[in-house]
Amino acid sequence: MQISGAVAPALPPVGLGYGSPASLASASGSFPNPGLYGSYPQGQAPPLSQAQGHLGAQPPQRSAPPQASTFTSPASGGPRMPSMTGPFLPGQGFGGPSLSQPNHVSSPPPQALPPGTQMTGPPGPPPPMHSSQQPGYQLQQNGSFGPARGPQPNYGSPYPGAPTFGSQPGPPQPLPPKRLDPDAIPSPIQVIEDDRNNRGSEPFVTGVRGQVPPLVTTNFLVKDQGNASPRYIRCTSYNIPCTSDMAKQAQVPLAAVIKPLARLPPEEVSPYVVDHGESGPLRCNRCKAYMCPFMQFIEGGRRFQCCFCSCINDVPPQYFQHLDHTGKRVDAYDRPELSLGSYEFLATVDYCKNNKFPSPPAFIFMIDVSYNAIRSGLVRLLCEELKSLLDFLPREGGTEESAIRVGFVTYNKVLHFYNVKSSLAQPQMMVVSDVADMFVPLLDGFLVNVSESRAVITSLLDQIPEMFADTRETETVFAPVIQAGMEALKAAECAGKLFLFHTSLPIAEAPGKLKNRDDRKLINTDKEKTLFQPQTGAYQTLAKECVAQGCCVDLFLFPNQYVDVATLSVVPQLTGGSVYKYACFQVENDQERFLSDLRRDVQKVVGFDAVMRVRTSTGIRAVDFFGAFYMSNTTDVELAGLDGDKTVTVEFKHDDRLNEESGALLQCALLYTSCAGQRRLRIHNLALNCCTQLADLYRNCETDTLINYMAKFAYRGVLNSPVKTVRDTLITQCAQILACYRKNCASPSSAGQLILPECMKLLPVYLNCVLKSDVLQPGAEVTTDDRAYVRQLVTSMDVAETNVFFYPRLLPLTKSPIESATEPPAVRASEERLSNGDIYLLENGLNLFLWVGASVQQGVVQSLFNVSSFSQITSGLSVLPVLDNPLSKKVRGLIDSLRAQRSRYMKLIVVKQEDKLEMLFKHFLVEDKSLSGGASYVDFLCHMHKEIRQLLS
């Protein structure tokens, strides 16, 4: 049975949720928040997929005329859609109940279909078309979404008394408002399913220029044949306009989301390491691009022409090789740099700081031992875990043990350093109380090899919880702790990472002291941006010093109240580090999540002291960068640390005309120090097509990457602009992209149709999810710290992470057969899709809910929860009992597999239908209207249509 959507008390209809601040505030409900953002994703979603031809074959690139989706609302002559900007009469579209229904109906307010909506042909596969026409979907009067077929025939009246269109004279009569059928509009679930079916079985072979890869939600294998895998680079479009005028007209941002150290599935080969000896990697003399498969060898192989700047370079004698009859070097397939899209070079000493090879990096664990940290059990738990975790530090290839050295500091208002030299019987503690002038009181014995100092380290970790067990010190410092760690790495002349475990706002007298400035009254005012900005410039200065030393900071926060995440996250953000947040930490509830995140964070492979540069062929250049890094000039992305979860997003602009024949090239070069202290260069190359027809641009876009870029652009925008301005900018840009398509690519049709490019038909639903997100439109329960936390998390997310973060997965659990090993098919994220006789899992990469319907069969309740009825299930439960039956095994196995796909541990919350926690769960049903005033998908689609029509008229 379908549940009717239990709506909150009728909210004042706000124009789509983009109304005045007053109306937004009044529309936000409040519900309990058990630390919604305790954990946030940086995970790797399941990889991608596609049927691909072999090298040289025509790619299964989208080469038919760009498909389109359309839906119809009134032709310009007929009655118009109700205005979006309210005030609305009852029944006029957004928010109010329909005229045709009594006010007390509890289903979601029906979306009135504008009178005069055109009726068109039955749904079905699009017919063959002339190449100049664009197929499309359009909304039909019966509420379904079918392909548009050029000029629309009239299929008669849907019900007696309704006017027919086109043939009858006289003014059209108004129709009773009719609810827009959600099944009639583009479904993310269907698009994902279709891509999996069409492109999941064949490997994606990267040999052909400008191929659009399978979606991030598709599981597929990649074969590198000259272009970097989409696991390393994804683009907003794989066919870019030849001129800047054309790019301005379309408004599609040209951007690449680059994940230089992405982890690959076991079936794929990691990049080969190439050693050119003392001469180092071969580069172009002029633009300094590295040797790659697109360089052209000439004059019998004695010279090569750079594919980026066209400069002619000599080939050094030791690199010379003859060419075959096609002009290709005969050793091309023996050399990774001449045949693959991604590979590594060993760097020579010229690529090292102060012209000397680096030492292996160090890890320093810095533990808050103030009253809160001791009382919650955090310190004891952490010290116990570190004893075993230190055996799993990252190591290179087949080495027996890690080359990484470790050190330990504890702190409250003062800092305690520990000498754990292997020759000592007991660790020694040194206290530094002058936090204003931080120095490291010892060098020898502070950073040690784990296996040599094993006994002393174990002794220290046993003693720390006892030494501070009776502490009464509640105040903490923060900046001096980072300063101390950085100074220790500087003294040891190595790069490294600080792991900081911190509980409270640093109010003790010291550099970087903060005050509580949390103020919800600033929301929806011009001063709201200050909530996202750091309180003081001290942390930017400190971060800059850390980057110069190759000191990356990972911060684990355990706040019971406001800690000013916006300020505390500055150093992790600028050094390429991560922030983890566990609000109201309790050992029994949160230990599994914290320890899982910690283990993964300590064990993951990291590149230290890194610099990344993106080079492009003539005609475009990199102009803007988004992510967790520091930039001291306009071209070099500096990363004290970079791990396999982090992305750097790069936007490109034209500085000249591009050529359709030669296309456009990108080369990302990352110079970094490996975990063993080896200096390396990782190179990723990608060739894109260029076009003179807008239709080719729209046929080769990737909506998931576009949304990733737009979210990052917006989340940076809130630092300097009012949130409403940022939202309006996003809506305008989306409307311009779609209006340009409608005007230049779609076949002529009535203005009442909304026509969407086939590969962008999910742009409105996904964009609406970004607009409704907590950063851009917070509900009353979302704290300032939550918003700052999410803002910095999204900045370095990859495309798979933003995809599931903004549009969560909702999986029904009792529909699919129990013996089926595959994941159950997802359903759309809307309350209408919930049946109260079923159980659902919902995940977004950070949160994991198990929703239990009130009418679930008693046998199911018994099998999963080991209780006899729905009423006995504990709401908010975070662990399912381990029971020996097929359903219990299946559900627990599914939860494990979802967690394995994400980079952060998702804590389970069991939610019962009609329970108070259900409001928290509904927050993630993103196709519905949100409590904070965000529009439903249906309403937003109508709003987009109105915006597009205004642009076109």
Side-chain angles (χ1 to χ4, degrees):
M1 129 180 178
Q2 286 284 343
I3 305 175
S4 65
V7 252
L11 304 175
V14 193
L16 241 201
Y18 308 110
S20 66
S23 57
L24 281 180
S26 61
S28 61
S30 92
F31 45 90
N33 173 16
L36 191 56
Y37 298 109
S39 81
Y40 251 79
Q42 297 209 314
Q44 191 106 351
L48 331 173
S49 144
Q50 151 160 6
Q52 215 54 39
H54 58 80
L55 187 58
Q58 259 317 97
Q61 176 195 0
R62 302 163 189 174
S63 52
Q67 297 261 316
S69 308
T70 78
F71 86 73
T72 311
S73 72
S76 41
R80 303 191 85 81
M81 201 170 132
S83 146
M84 281 294 312
T85 48
F88 301 125
L89 299 171
Q92 271 200 320
F94 310 94
S98 145
L99 284 176
S100 58
Q101 282 190 318
N103 278 355
H104 57 264
V105 176
S106 72
S107 61
Q111 163 61 43
L113 194 70
T117 298
Q118 186 176 339
M119 173 86 173
T120 64
M129 307 199 64
H130 188 274
S131 64
S132 66
Q133 280 189 325
Q134 298 303 320
Y137 285 22
Q138 77 195 36
L139 185 65
Q140 300 166 6
Q141 197 121 34
N142 62 5
S144 65
F145 216 111
R149 307 163 178 240
Q152 302 307 325
N154 168 30
Y155 284 88
S157 308
Y159 35 76
T164 51
F165 299 98
S167 57
Q168 279 187 306
Q173 304 302 307
L175 305 179
K178 187 162 169 62
R179 178 130 194 269
L180 181 50
D181 177 6
D183 285 329
I185 55 184
S187 157
I189 304 303
Q190 193 58 53
V191 170
I192 288 168
E193 202 48 46
D194 291 348
D195 194 76
R196 280 179 180 162
N197 294 336
N198 297 335
R199 306 192 67 182
S201 51
E202 293 289 319
F204 178 66
V205 183
T206 72
V208 185
R209 183 176 85 190
Q211 295 175 91
V212 183
L215 298 180
V216 286
T217 41
T218 299
N219 203 356
F220 65 101
L221 265 181
V222 180
K223 289 198 172 148
D224 183 344
Q225 291 192 354
N227 282 293
S229 159
R231 304 194 205 289
Y232 294 123
I233 307 182
R234 277 189 175 261
C235 296
T236 52
S237 178
Y238 290 81
N239 200 334
I240 59 182
C242 279
T243 64
S244 60
D245 288 348
M246 193 173 153
K248 282 188 189 113
Q249 191 184 354
Q251 286 286 313
V252 175
L254 304 175
V257 180
I258 306 175
K259 196 173 182 184
L261 297 179
R263 284 182 308 281
L264 301 181
E267 308 84 357
E268 293 176 22
V269 184
S270 293
Y272 290 99
V273 181
V274 179
D275 184 358
H276 281 319
E278 289 190 9
S279 58
L282 190 55
R283 304 175 71 174
C284 167
N285 291 328
R286 184 196 292 160
C287 72
K288 301 294 181 216
Y290 293 87
M291 180 52 67
C292 72
F294 311 120
M295 298 287 190
Q296 192 68 45
F297 286 87
I298 52 175
E299 296 178 23
R302 285 189 299 279
R303 309 177 89 182
F304 72 92
Q305 181 165 21
C306 176
C307 51
F308 293 93
C309 70
S310 304
C311 172
I312 307 250
N313 298 269
D314 290 331
V315 173
Q318 72 275 18
Y319 198 77
F320 174 79
Q321 187 50 274
H322 296 285
L323 309 184
D324 65 13
H325 64 285
T326 65
K328 216 175 167 65
R329 279 174 59 124
V330 295
D331 66 348
Y333 291 106
D334 303 327
R335 289 188 176 271
E337 74 275 20
L338 299 181
S339 55
L340 299 176
S342 301
Y343 42 87
E344 291 201 319
F345 291 118
L346 280 188
T348 57
V349 75
D350 310 334
Y351 291 86
C352 303
K353 241 186 222 167
N354 309 325
N355 273 20
K356 64 179 203 184
F357 285 112
S359 308
F363 283 0
I364 305 178
F365 296 90
M366 316 190 86
I367 305 167
D368 174 348
V369 288
S370 64
Y371 177 73
N372 280 343
I374 296 290
R375 192 196 54 181
S376 68
L378 167 65
V379 175
R380 189 171 295 280
L381 177 71
L382 173 59
C383 289
E384 201 50 48
E385 175 63 26
L386 286 177
K387 288 186 212 169
S388 53
L389 187 53
L390 294 176
D391 287 331
F392 297 98
L393 300 178
R395 62 194 78 184
E396 288 293 82
T399 51
E400 285 276 306
E401 59 177 55
S402 174
I404 293 172
R405 291 169 298 162
V406 298
F408 302 88
V409 172
T410 56
Y411 67 93
N412 37 47
K413 272 202 320 201
V414 298
L415 276 74
H416 322 107
F417 292 78
Y418 296 94
N419 183 344
V420 283
K421 198 173 177 178
S422 57
S423 56
L424 295 173
Q426 283 293 325
Q428 293 171 347
M429 177 204 236
M430 295 181 168
V431 180
V432 176
S433 49
D434 183 3
V435 289
D437 184 20
M438 186 43 66
F439 68 99
V440 181
L442 77 160
L443 290 182
D444 190 31
F446 179 64
L447 294 178
V448 297
N449 174 294
V450 175
S451 55
E452 288 171 13
S453 292
R454 161 75 59 205
V456 196
I457 292 173
T458 304
S459 171
L460 171 67
L461 294 171
D462 283 335
Q463 289 178 44
I464 288 173
E466 307 309 329
M467 277 193 289
F468 298 99
D470 301 325
T471 185
R472 283 277 162 273
E473 185 53 75
T474 55
E475 292 189 359
T476 57
V477 296
F478 187 73
V481 184
I482 296 175
Q483 180 87 35
M486 181 199 57
E487 298 288 354
L489 294 176
K490 193 183 274 183
E493 296 185 357
C494 67
K497 184 181 271 199
L498 312 182
F499 296 84
L500 242 83
F501 304 88
H502 189 80
T503 61
S504 59
L505 192 71
I507 55 171
E509 270 316 316
K513 172 185 175 178
L514 301 179
K515 59 179 192 291
N516 187 336
R517 50 155 188 169
D518 190 16
D519 187 0
R520 289 193 63 83
K521 293 197 289 296
L522 298 181
I523 293 177
N524 291 314
T525 69
D526 282 352
K527 288 193 175 158
E528 183 172 5
K529 58 182 180 246
T530 59
L531 297 175
F532 295 111
Q533 298 164 353
Q535 273 189 49
T536 151
Y539 287 95
Q540 272 106 325
T541 311
L542 181 57
K544 188 175 168 181
E545 292 174 33
C546 286
V547 172
Q549 186 47 49
C551 168
C552 173
V553 179
D554 280 358
L555 174 60
F556 292 78
L557 283 171
F558 304 86
N560 291 335
Q561 53 199 25
Y562 177 75
V563 286
D564 199 347
V565 173
T567 305
L568 297 190
S569 65
V570 166
V571 179
Q573 180 77 10
L574 292 176
T575 59
S578 306
V579 179
Y580 298 84
K581 181 164 157 283
Y582 310 88
C584 304
F585 179 83
Q586 292 174 308
V587 169
E588 56 279 12
N589 293 337
D590 302 296
Q591 114 175 29
E592 196 177 355
R593 189 170 116 236
F594 163 54
L595 294 181
S596 172
D597 286 344
L598 176 64
R599 286 166 193 155
R600 194 173 180 283
D601 195 62
V602 168
Q603 292 175 52
K604 64 186 172 191
V605 172
V606 182
F608 292 97
D609 217 352
V611 182
M612 180 178 124
R613 184 176 278 201
V614 178
R615 293 180 173 83
T616 51
S617 53
T618 312
I620 53 168
R621 62 194 171 92
V623 292
D624 207 353
F625 301 84
F626 303 81
F629 52 75
Y630 177 76
M631 290 186 84
S632 53
N633 57 34
T634 56
T635 54
D636 293 338
V637 174
E638 298 175 46
L639 301 126
L642 175 68
D643 61 52
D645 297 325
K646 299 279 191 312
T647 64
V648 176
T649 301
V650 186
E651 187 186 4
F652 303 96
K653 290 260 165 72
H654 288 75
D655 57 9
D656 205 346
R657 193 186 171 86
L658 293 167
N659 178 332
E660 252 182 310
E661 205 171 306
S662 53
L665 300 175
L666 316 177
Q667 184 179 79
C668 161
L670 177 79
L671 174 66
Y672 71 99
T673 301
S674 75
C675 292
Q678 197 175 49
R679 203 71 175 145
R680 290 183 178 178
L681 282 150
R682 179 168 290 202
I683 312 294
H684 298 297
N685 303 288
L686 186 63
L688 302 172
N689 286 329
C690 298
C691 58
T692 53
Q693 300 297 316
L694 283 164
D696 289 326
L697 164 69
Y698 283 101
R699 194 181 299 120
N700 292 284
C701 286
E702 200 193 45
T703 298
D704 292 322
T705 310
L706 203 53
I707 288 292
N708 180 284
Y709 166 83
M710 291 171 104
K712 289 170 180 175
F713 182 80
Y715 281 18
R716 186 176 69 184
V718 298
L719 290 171
N720 304 308
S721 308
V723 172
K724 183 181 185 306
T725 310
V726 173
R727 285 204 304 256
D728 291 345
T729 305
L730 281 181
I731 293 172
T732 306
Q733 181 169 20
C734 181
Q736 285 172 328
I737 291 171
L738 298 175
C740 173
Y741 173 80
R742 171 66 189 260
K743 183 178 171 186
N744 298 288
C745 305
S747 50
S749 56
S750 99
Q753 283 181 313
L754 170 62
I755 303 182
L756 303 169
E758 181 61 26
C759 67
M760 282 191 189
K761 65 185 180 194
L762 299 180
L763 190 58
V765 61
Y766 285 164
L767 183 73
N768 191 37
C769 296
V770 175
L771 293 166
K772 288 159 61 167
S773 65
D774 293 325
V775 172
L776 298 183
Q777 197 158 29
E781 81 296 344
V782 179
T783 67
T784 305
D785 274 346
D786 285 340
R787 296 177 76 197
Y789 177 63
V790 180
R791 197 193 75 78
Q792 60 84 28
L793 258 175
V794 168
T795 309
S796 41
M797 275 187 191
D798 69 11
V799 179
E801 287 166 345
T802 50
N803 170 276
V804 75
F805 177 65
F806 289 114
Y807 192 96
R809 274 203 292 180
L810 183 61
L811 307 171
L813 296 186
T814 55
K815 295 261 181 11
S816 59
I818 287 185
E819 55 283 355
S820 145
T822 55
E823 217 168 81
V827 295
R828 291 168 69 167
S830 166
E831 193 170 349
E832 291 192 348
R833 310 286 160 169
L834 299 176
S835 148
N836 60 3
D838 205 349
I839 290 181
Y840 297 80
L841 267 179
L842 181 144
E843 66 110 357
N844 73 343
L846 297 184
N847 306 89
L848 184 61
F849 293 95
L850 185 72
W851 183 88
V852 186
S855 314
V856 167
Q857 290 172 356
Q858 191 262 330
V860 170
V861 172
Q862 186 72 50
S863 297
L864 268 187
F865 299 100
N866 207 21
V867 295
S868 53
S869 69
F870 175 80
S871 61
Q872 292 175 294
I873 299 171
T874 310
S875 173
L877 192 71
S878 60
V879 181
L880 291 180
V882 177
L883 304 172
D884 189 12
N885 66 68
L887 182 63
S888 175
K889 287 176 181 168
K890 177 186 169 178
V891 173
R892 285 180 292 110
L894 179 59
I895 290 172
D896 289 344
S897 102
L898 292 178
R899 283 174 174 157
Q901 291 166 24
R902 306 290 174 219
S903 66
R904 298 196 172 206
Y905 183 90
M906 299 184 291
K907 178 180 166 183
L908 180 70
I909 299 178
V910 172
V911 175
K912 295 164 69 175
Q913 186 179 355
E914 303 296 333
D915 186 82
K916 62 180 185 297
L917 273 177
E918 199 182 28
M919 296 306 275
L920 188 62
F921 171 76
K922 286 181 183 173
H923 180 80
F924 297 96
L925 300 177
V926 289
E927 289 199 21
D928 302 337
K929 188 170 175 177
S930 71
L931 274 179
S932 52
S936 70
Y937 174 20
V938 166
D939 287 357
F940 185 69
L941 203 55
C942 293
H943 179 59
M944 276 322 298
H945 188 199
K946 178 170 174 277
E947 294 274 327
I948 292 164
R949 286 177 62 177
Q950 278 176 349
L951 287 172
L952 292 175
S953 62

